């Protein structure tokens, strides 16, 4: 039974990481009906933004845990958010806005192009900046005293503090996003735009600004996920956004794309399926090499029997 609860915590941690990225997919899709396949690279840029911030503040190695947790880590998260939001806004302005109203294939191809361009820009360009390491291979993520390599023991359970950070970040970001969407003027404008952008424009809502805010919110959460990924795996690389982004997209579809709570639930379910499959399925089918297979088999089954996703978000076809 201890093993079950241990794996439950591990699954929640991994699922929280997927959930943080998946929310970005679903927020953008809910507003502009766009599957932003470059969102995984926004997540990667967020991680590199955090790493760059760490370089900029002098690469502190020996800070005490209060300084590391309450000063260094927030600065890294902020730096990651600035980088991710900046890239997302540039992407929206120059890669997607000119294609608004075009057939859906056009922005999809644009998203794939942006994704490859961002990967290559980081791979080839990051190491050219004086004082920055080459990003052609994995870069060790900064050691955050009090979190990196630390565990919390709860009876027989051993929980990594990086997992606590990831789960806590998902809880805080979900609560904040729920408040933002339901209680603020901009949040209500986002809901109106998602239902009918033309009518929203006639009602005086600046639809362009609403779409930019949607991209910015999704990118900020992706940056938090980028930091959580670095703390969890202790390294970052220019390819990290591809598979994680694909899993997060699957999580958004699994939960019901366009539904914020669905993205969170989809991420958690996907993470737990991966962890439990590698623990309880015997033989080679339970090996780590098969965890992605089981995750996507679950996605296929859900789409076959419940195409709208677990939480049944209604999708309006505006084409």
């Amino acid at each position: 039974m201890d093993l079950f609860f241990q794996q439950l915590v591990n699954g929640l941690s991994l699922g929280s990481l997927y959930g943080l990225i998946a929310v970005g997919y679903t927020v953008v899709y809910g507003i502009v009906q766009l599957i932003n396949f470059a969102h995984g690279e926004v997540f990667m840029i967020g991680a590199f933004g955090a790493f760059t911030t760490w370089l900029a503040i002098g690469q502190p190695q020996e800070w005490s845990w209060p300084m590391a947790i309450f000063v260094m880590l927030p600065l890294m998260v902020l730096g990651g958010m600035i980088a991710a939001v900046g890239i997302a806004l540039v992407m929206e302005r120059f890669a997607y806005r000119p294609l608004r109203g075009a057939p859906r294939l056009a922005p999809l191809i644009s998203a794939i192009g942006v994704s490859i361009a961002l990967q290559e820009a980081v791979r080839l360009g990051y190491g050219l900046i004086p004082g920055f390491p080459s990003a052609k291979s994995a870069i060790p993520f900064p050691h955050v005293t009090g979190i990196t390599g630390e565990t919390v023991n709860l009876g027989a359970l051993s929980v990594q503090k990086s997992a606590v950070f990831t789960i806590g970040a998902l809880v805080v970001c979900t609560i904040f996003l729920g408040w933002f969407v339901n209680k603020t003027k901009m949040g209500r404008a986002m809901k109106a735009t998602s239902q009918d952008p033309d009518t929203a424009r006639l009602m005086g809502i600046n639809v362009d600004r609403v779409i930019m805010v949607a991209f910015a919110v999704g990118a900020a959460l992706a940056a938090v996920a980028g930091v959580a990924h670095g703390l969890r795996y202790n390294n970052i690389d220019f390819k990290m956004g591809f598979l994680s982004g694909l899993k997060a997209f699957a999580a958004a579809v699994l939960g019901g794309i366009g539904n914020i709570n669905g993205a969170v639930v989809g991420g958690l379910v996907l993470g737990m399926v991966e962890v439990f499959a590698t623990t309880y399925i015997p033989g080679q089918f339970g090996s780590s090499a098969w965890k992605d297979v089981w995750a996507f088999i679950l996605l296929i089954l859900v789409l076959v029997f419940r195409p709208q996703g677990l939480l049944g978000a209604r999708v309006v076809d505006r084409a």
Side-chain angles (χ1 to χ4, degrees), residues 11-266:
L12 286 174
S13 170
L14 182 60
S16 297
L17 186 62
Y18 294 151
L20 282 168
I21 311 172
V23 170
Y25 273 110
T26 214
V27 167
V28 170
Y29 184 86
I31 301 294
V32 291
Q33 305 285 288
L34 166 70
I35 298 173
N36 180 17
F37 273 118
H39 188 64
E41 276 58 54
V42 174
F43 155 72
M44 177 268 289
I45 294 289
F48 273 85
F51 179 78
T52 303
T53 304
W54 177 75
L55 293 177
I57 60 176
Q59 308 178 38
Q61 302 280 359
E62 303 298 334
W63 281 15
S64 61
W65 72 263
M67 286 291 290
I69 293 177
F70 296 112
V71 178
M72 186 173 88
L73 186 58
L75 286 175
M76 289 169 60
V77 172
L78 180 62
M81 284 183 173
I82 291 172
V85 170
I87 286 293
L89 293 182
V90 170
M91 186 191 308
E92 188 278 330
R93 178 63 185 85
F94 295 103
Y96 299 141
R97 191 182 301 183
L99 298 175
R100 211 176 289 164
R104 288 186 177 183
L105 187 60
L108 182 64
I109 293 173
S110 182
I112 295 172
V114 169
S115 170
I116 296 171
L118 288 175
Q119 284 188 37
E120 291 302 304
V122 171
R123 184 176 73 89
L124 298 174
Y126 197 75
L128 299 179
I129 304 172
F132 285 28
S134 170
K136 294 180 180 177
S137 58
I139 298 175
F141 197 71
H143 179 96
V144 178
T145 306
I147 293 182
T148 306
E150 301 273 348
T151 59
V152 177
N153 294 316
L154 301 172
L157 297 181
S158 178
V159 183
Q160 294 285 330
K161 287 188 177 178
S162 60
V164 176
F165 173 84
T166 308
I167 296 170
L170 179 66
V171 172
V172 171
C173 289
T174 303
I175 293 173
F176 170 77
L177 199 54
W179 169 82
F180 180 78
V181 170
N182 294 306
K183 300 295 182 183
T184 66
K185 185 177 179 180
M186 178 55 72
R188 288 191 288 272
M190 290 171 69
K191 292 171 74 173
T193 304
S194 70
Q195 293 172 6
D196 191 332
D198 292 332
T199 303
R201 190 177 284 109
L202 290 173
M203 296 297 290
I205 294 174
N206 187 330
V207 172
D208 287 341
R209 182 180 299 170
V210 169
I211 293 172
M212 289 176 65
V213 170
F215 271 85
V217 168
L221 267 62
V224 176
V227 174
H229 181 283
L231 293 174
R232 177 184 178 89
Y233 296 105
N234 297 322
N235 64 62
I236 57 175
D237 68 86
F238 73 96
K239 297 180 292 186
M240 61 185 276
F242 177 74
L243 187 57
S244 295
L246 197 60
K247 294 279 189 68
F249 173 66
V253 175
L254 182 66
I257 193 161
N259 185 311
I260 292 173
N261 293 329
V264 173
V265 171

